[in-house]
Amino acid sequence: MQITVVKSKIHRVKVTGADLNYIGSITIDEDLMEAANIIQGEKVQIVNNDNGERLETYCIPGPRNSGEITLNGAAARKVAVGDTLILITYAMMDIEAAKTFKPSLVFPNEATNLLK
């Protein structure tokens, strides 16, 4: 049996941009992606703590040490600059492997989105 478990989480980052005219996706500071074990193009769930929106898209790396969290395309309508987000990725695995799997959890500085 396979189950879906949390693979990665970037907890409480602030939206730094919303670009309606971009093709789509979420741009995430590459340092945060690396720390959370998230790769370019990976599906990510976005939970907006300020308005309750939940959506899914794929991620692209932003400049390192920039703190960038930009929602692109239609997703830009679901956020406002300054909103607090939780970013989550999931993985499917065998139930026995899932019992010992440890997700990558990242808690950046809430004011800057940078790693502490």
Side-chain angles (χ1 to χ4, degrees):
M1 176 186 324
Q2 295 265 305
I3 63 169
T4 304
V5 298
V6 172
K7 177 186 144 290
S8 309
K9 180 166 94 165
I10 302 174
H11 190 75
R12 296 187 62 85
V13 286
K14 300 279 187 201
V15 174
T16 60
D19 186 354
L20 185 60
N21 296 312
Y22 193 83
I23 296 170
S25 70
I26 181 172
T27 304
I28 303 171
D29 178 323
E30 193 167 5
D31 286 340
L32 294 174
M33 287 178 60
E34 191 173 272
N37 194 28
I38 297 172
I39 63 167
Q40 181 173 345
E42 187 169 354
K43 181 178 175 179
V44 61
Q45 180 181 43
I46 300 161
V47 179
N48 188 326
N49 281 3
D50 291 297
N51 65 17
E53 289 284 353
R54 290 173 146 327
L55 62 116
E56 294 177 341
T57 190
Y58 63 94
C59 56
I60 59 174
R64 288 186 178 277
N65 201 40
S66 65
E68 181 175 359
I69 302 291
T70 300
L71 275 290
N72 302 306
R77 294 195 183 276
K78 303 289 188 180
V79 300
V81 171
D83 282 357
T84 300
L85 307 180
I86 298 171
L87 310 177
I88 308 163
T89 66
Y90 299 91
M92 297 220 28
M93 63 184 66
D94 179 78
I95 194 165
E96 290 305 315
K99 289 178 181 178
T100 59
F101 177 76
K102 302 291 184 225
S104 299
L105 307 176
V106 177
F107 300 88
N109 180 302
E110 288 188 40
T112 64
N113 291 343
L114 300 178
L115 298 171
K116 295 180 182 177

